[in-house]
Amino acid sequence: MKLKSLALAAAVLAALAAPVTAQIKDRVFKVGIGLSDDHPQALAVKYFAEQLAAKSSGKLVAKLYAGGALGNDVSMTSALRGGTLEMTVPDSSTLMALIKPFGVLNLPLTFNTEQEADAVLDGPFGQKLLAKLPEKGLIGLGYWENGFRHITNSRRPITKADDIAGLKLRVIQNQLFLDSFNALGANATPMPFTELFSAMEQAAVDGQENPTATILASRFYEVQKHLVLSRHMYSTWVLLISKKTWDDLSPQEQKIVQEAAREATLYERKTIRAFGDKALGELKKQGMQVTELPPAEQAKMRAKLQPVLAKFSKEFGEDTTAEMMGDLAKLRK
């Protein structure tokens, strides 16, 4: 009798679970990124894939395509909107062309610490930005850290703000980055990340700007001699899934994807911060000469950037800019 009761209970549990399991189909999500497959961003995509598989009994699979195999940030984001690619993790600045308020996240010399960025991005302000994505065919699953950006070049050490003048620097393909570096006196040159290493190798550009994790993982030290810890911008990525893909998922599948994305977000931030801490020492070992701008020179850089801040604060929405700055002011009290 006891065995019959156990069997009956098992059958009832199986019947209850069946509708849930039936909501999960065998699916493969292609995830394209521009960075190398050993970069912390790629490691986080792999972690996302592990979580996805574990939560779906192996039915939901995320497959990484690194190194720009499926295109650059702009083209992959476009592919998501068109429904020909499932997922990507572009720099938030890529979304500026679609939704202007995303640009405020890249305003120069805005965030002081990673913790400030986490609080703003995970709070109401960051979530309000993500809520604007569905109308553009995208779903935002979270913000991943790229980090504070620094300048490298092959010509000379940068010890003061005026040393940036005259350098031909590759920048992300948007007007805020162009105007910011032109205001600092550089010859800002927009270029896809996937073309950057060869451009520096062939001296088509003198340098670039990126966080230390990217500088190390991309082996820029092979073609760049000088690094200045300028911290001129904080940079974040947005984990995206195509709305066409999202709308095809069952509620249970959507829940699994969201849970896996949240765990991958926490993993990514922890991983890239640890990697970034070690990266600076490794870059020095590889022969890069590292300088820092004194506070007085940081102030000069801020003064040069004031017209850019004023112009883009207005362009991205004065209310949006004021809201983010207000949140930052509260955090700093």
Side-chain angles (χ1 to χ4, degrees):
M1 189 70 180
K2 191 173 182 181
L3 287 172
K4 284 185 178 179
S5 297
L6 288 172
L8 179 62
V12 169
L13 287 172
L16 289 171
V20 174
T21 307
Q23 286 187 39
I24 306 175
K25 297 179 181 178
D26 289 317
R27 300 179 186 272
V28 177
F29 303 113
K30 296 190 297 293
V31 188
I33 65 170
L35 295 160
S36 59
D37 65 2
D38 59 351
H39 189 283
Q41 187 192 72
L43 300 181
V45 171
K46 293 172 186 176
Y47 185 83
F48 169 74
E50 291 170 8
Q51 297 302 307
L52 202 61
K55 294 174 187 296
S56 66
S57 301
K59 289 192 168 188
L60 300 182
V61 175
K63 189 172 180 183
L64 173 67
Y65 292 82
L70 301 183
N72 58 48
D73 278 1
V74 174
S75 62
M76 287 189 288
T77 300
S78 178
L80 259 67
R81 297 181 69 203
T84 58
L85 177 62
E86 288 77 25
M87 298 182 72
T88 189
V89 198
D91 192 278
S92 65
S93 61
T94 306
L95 302 173
M96 200 187 302
L98 300 173
I99 301 166
K100 283 191 176 182
F102 264 95
V104 299
L105 301 179
N106 284 121
L107 287 173
L109 303 173
T110 298
F111 293 104
N112 290 335
T113 66
E114 290 88 349
Q115 289 69 35
E116 280 187 355
D118 288 351
V120 169
L121 296 173
D122 293 342
F125 181 80
Q127 299 312 300
K128 190 184 292 186
L129 287 181
L130 294 185
K132 297 178 184 293
L133 289 169
E135 67 192 53
K136 299 298 183 181
L138 303 165
I139 300 291
L141 298 171
Y143 294 96
W144 287 10
E145 178 161 294
N146 188 0
F148 284 100
R149 304 178 78 90
H150 311 291
I151 301 168
T152 70
N153 82 95
S154 58
R155 284 178 53 189
R156 57 174 177 260
I158 294 173
T159 59
K160 55 187 188 295
D162 289 343
D163 290 337
I164 298 168
L167 293 174
K168 188 174 184 180
L169 299 177
R170 173 268 176 182
V171 298
I172 287 177
Q173 299 159 278
N174 73 54
Q175 201 61 45
L176 171 61
F177 281 73
L178 279 165
D179 284 11
S180 295
F181 280 91
N182 286 333
L184 293 173
N187 177 4
T189 305
M191 182 185 298
F193 182 83
T194 47
E195 298 173 14
L196 176 54
F197 187 94
S198 61
M200 292 190 295
E201 188 175 36
Q202 295 162 18
V205 293
D206 298 319
Q208 58 84 54
E209 47 86 49
N210 260 300
T212 53
T214 297
I215 294 166
L216 178 61
S218 303
R219 305 175 72 88
F220 289 165
Y221 53 82
E222 293 181 358
V223 289
Q224 297 278 275
K225 182 72 174 174
H226 306 286
L227 163 65
V228 59
L229 301 177
S230 48
R231 293 173 68 90
H232 53 273
M233 287 181 186
Y234 178 82
S235 189
T236 184
W237 295 306
V238 185
L239 177 61
L240 296 176
I241 186 168
S242 165
K243 188 173 185 295
K244 288 188 177 180
T245 300
W246 181 257
D247 289 345
D248 192 45
L249 301 180
S250 69
Q252 181 66 9
E253 289 169 334
Q254 290 180 350
K255 184 170 181 285
I256 289 170
V257 170
Q258 284 177 319
E259 289 175 354
R262 181 57 191 161
E263 291 180 25
T265 296
L266 297 174
Y267 172 88
E268 190 276 339
R269 290 175 182 172
K270 181 180 176 182
T271 303
I272 201 163
R273 286 168 191 170
F275 188 87
D277 289 343
K278 294 177 183 175
L280 187 57
E282 186 59 33
L283 290 170
K284 288 178 181 177
K285 280 184 188 176
Q286 294 293 339
M288 289 200 85
Q289 294 180 5
V290 180
T291 56
E292 290 193 56
L293 292 178
E297 292 301 322
Q298 281 276 359
K300 284 182 184 177
M301 190 161 70
R302 187 180 295 276
K304 288 173 182 279
L305 289 167
Q306 282 309 305
V308 177
L309 286 165
K311 173 187 173 181
F312 284 94
S313 293
K314 189 172 182 178
E315 184 171 320
F316 298 148
E318 290 178 341
D319 290 347
T320 302
T321 305
E323 184 179 352
M324 185 179 75
M325 294 304 184
D327 286 353
L328 284 170
K330 289 175 190 173
L331 289 170
R332 292 168 183 167
K333 281 183 179 178

